[in-house]
């Protein structure tokens, strides 16, 4: 498998940042216990009815979304490479009383290790594809764990958004090919930068000025490559939607916040796709 050493380095970078992210989340366990949800409407619409479904949540991070999915009636298995994220997800599950299984594993290893096609739904969202060095293996693995008739849903940041610097200057070429790109600053505290956009239960200042000692490696792919990998794995696409806004995250200067934690560019910036969503079925 490609770049195992880089993925291991990413594990360290994620391990380092999870505590800072969690420090900004006020009483998420109570929010979930009382039936709150961290999910955005775009994801809910693409996922459809989850009652009684076996759902794999890939790259689940600290599990807030996984437990929100469980509250919709799914039996959830969350998978993530970060030891700290999985430990935090397990604590959140026990403190909220919302059950889910959490597995610490590299997503490629976990997909390859599954013995049967036992999931009705595979889901992942918001910062997924940039961690994947091999889209063919990823999509093929997803197809292999889905039952016939099962569905795959992804909502992710649009690769077009990566062409701009934080002041909306067009400074990068459109990425493609998955070439590794090293970020010496490592995974940042984007939960703090979102200033409440990623903390529906409430935001506290928590840890300040987090500095990640562990660099990370990103893999940049174009949207066509993602779609081609999903279709190439034999999954039938029924939705490919692009959204001119970003849920939760403020990646750019002067973003305006609409209700529902929806971030849009300032008026001076023409429409740019900032997220996309896909739904695809296994025959
Ligand atoms: C931006 S987060 C995804 C956000 C997540 N959906 C949430 O609810 O917060 C990306 C996640 O991918 C995980 N990750 C990165 N590389 C991975 C890999 N090779 N296998 C499994 N998880 C990985 C990270 O540990 C991190 O938790």
């Amino acid at each position: 498998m490609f770049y195992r050493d880089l993925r291991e380095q990413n594990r360290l970078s994620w391990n380092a940042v999870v505590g800072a992210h969690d420090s900004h989340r006020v009483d998420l366990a109570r929010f979930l216990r009382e039936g709150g949800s961290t999910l955005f409407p775009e994801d809910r619409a693409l996922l459809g009815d989850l009652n009684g479904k076996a759902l794999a949540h890939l790259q689940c991070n600290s599990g807030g979304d996984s437990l929100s999915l469980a509250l919709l009636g799914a039996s959830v298995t969350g998978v993530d490479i970060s030891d700290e994220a999985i430990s935090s997800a397990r604590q959140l599950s026990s403190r909220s009383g919302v059950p889910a299984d959490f597995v610490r594993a590299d997503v490629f290893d976990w997909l390859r290790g599954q013995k049967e096609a036992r999931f009705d739904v595979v889901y992942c969202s918001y910062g997924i594809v940039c961690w994947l060095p091999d889209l063919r293996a990823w999509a093929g693995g997803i197809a292999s764990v889905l039952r016939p008739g099962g569905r795959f849903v992804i909502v992710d940041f649009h690769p077009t958004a990566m062409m701009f610097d934080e002041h909306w200057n067009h400074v990068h070429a459109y990425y493609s090919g998955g070439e590794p790109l090293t970020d010496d600053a490592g995974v940042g505290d984007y939960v703090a930068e979102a200033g409440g956009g990623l903390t529906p239960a409430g935001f506290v200042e928590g840890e300040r000025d987090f500095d990640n000692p562990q660099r990370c490696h990103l893999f940049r792919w174009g949207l066509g490559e993602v779609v081609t990998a999903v279709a190439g794995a034999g999954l039938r696409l029924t939705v490919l939607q692009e959204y001119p806004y970003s849920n939760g995250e403020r990646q750019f200067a002067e973003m305006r916040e609409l209700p529902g934690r929806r971030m849009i560019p300032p008026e001076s910036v023409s429409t740019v796709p900032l997220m996309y969503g896909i739904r695809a079925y296994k025959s």
Side-chain angles (χ1 to χ4, degrees):
M1 174 52 62
F2 293 165
Y3 297 123
R4 182 172 290 282
D5 50 339
L6 303 194
R7 286 180 283 136
E8 273 299 298
Q9 177 58 36
N10 288 343
R11 178 171 70 86
L12 302 182
S13 196
W14 277 100
N15 278 347
V17 78
V18 165
H21 288 174
D22 284 351
S23 78
H24 307 298
R25 298 187 171 114
V26 164
D27 215 354
L28 183 54
R30 180 165 148 207
F31 176 76
L32 293 165
R33 198 182 319 120
E34 292 174 352
S37 176
T38 61
L39 298 170
F40 287 98
E42 292 76 10
D43 306 61
R44 294 276 294 266
L46 288 169
L47 282 162
D49 181 19
L50 294 181
N51 201 24
K53 305 290 186 206
L55 184 152
H57 182 196
L58 306 182
Q59 296 170 247
C60 65
N61 196 252
S62 295
D65 286 353
S66 319
L67 299 181
S68 301
L69 295 160
L71 285 169
L72 294 172
S75 163
V76 176
T77 303
V79 181
D80 200 283
I81 199 169
S82 161
D83 316 70
E84 295 298 327
I86 288 299
S87 152
S88 168
R90 287 183 181 140
Q91 280 177 40
L92 189 61
S93 173
S94 100
R95 291 211 319 271
S96 63
V98 182
D101 280 340
F102 288 103
V103 182
R104 198 226 60 84
D106 183 295
V107 66
F108 293 101
D109 295 341
W110 184 81
L111 287 168
R112 228 186 5 252
Q114 299 306 295
K115 299 282 174 264
E116 48 175 336
R118 65 186 171 98
F119 291 99
D120 303 299
V121 184
V122 174
Y123 166 72
C124 48
S125 64
Y126 302 106
I128 295 300
V129 167
C130 62
W131 303 106
L132 304 173
D134 185 343
L135 293 187
R136 210 164 145 214
W138 169 71
I142 289 167
S144 76
V145 303
L146 277 172
R147 289 185 178 131
R151 56 195 184 266
F152 168 58
V153 169
I154 179 170
V155 180
D156 209 348
F157 298 111
H158 202 293
T160 298
M162 320 296 171
M163 297 167 72
F164 300 95
D165 70 10
E166 62 165 319
H167 298 290
W168 299 99
N169 300 306
H170 180 176
V171 290
H172 301 293
Y174 188 65
Y175 287 108
S176 65
E179 270 299 291
L181 194 75
T182 299
D183 183 349
D184 287 325
V187 182
D189 192 354
Y190 56 82
V191 179
E193 284 154 24
L198 293 170
T199 48
F203 176 78
V204 277
E205 191 165 40
E207 191 168 335
R208 282 173 165 205
D209 303 324
F210 170 77
D211 215 359
N212 198 327
Q214 299 287 352
R215 68 179 177 279
C216 64
H217 305 282
L218 301 158
F219 307 95
R220 296 302 198 187
W221 300 99
L223 181 56
E225 292 168 319
V226 177
V227 169
T228 300
V230 172
L235 299 174
R236 182 175 52 85
L237 261 80
T238 58
V239 179
L240 166 59
Q241 192 161 353
E242 297 170 287
Y243 309 90
Y245 51 81
S246 162
N247 281 340
E249 277 201 44
R250 295 172 194 272
Q251 303 109 310
F252 302 100
E254 294 171 60
M255 287 191 91
R256 295 172 291 162
E257 182 166 355
L258 299 182
R261 299 181 284 135
R262 179 178 289 182
M263 311 299 173
I264 58 166
E267 266 172 31
S268 55
V269 173
S270 312
T271 301
V272 192
L274 295 181
M275 309 192 307
Y276 67 91
I278 291 172
R279 181 169 60 216
Y281 287 88
K282 179 161 169 179
S283 303

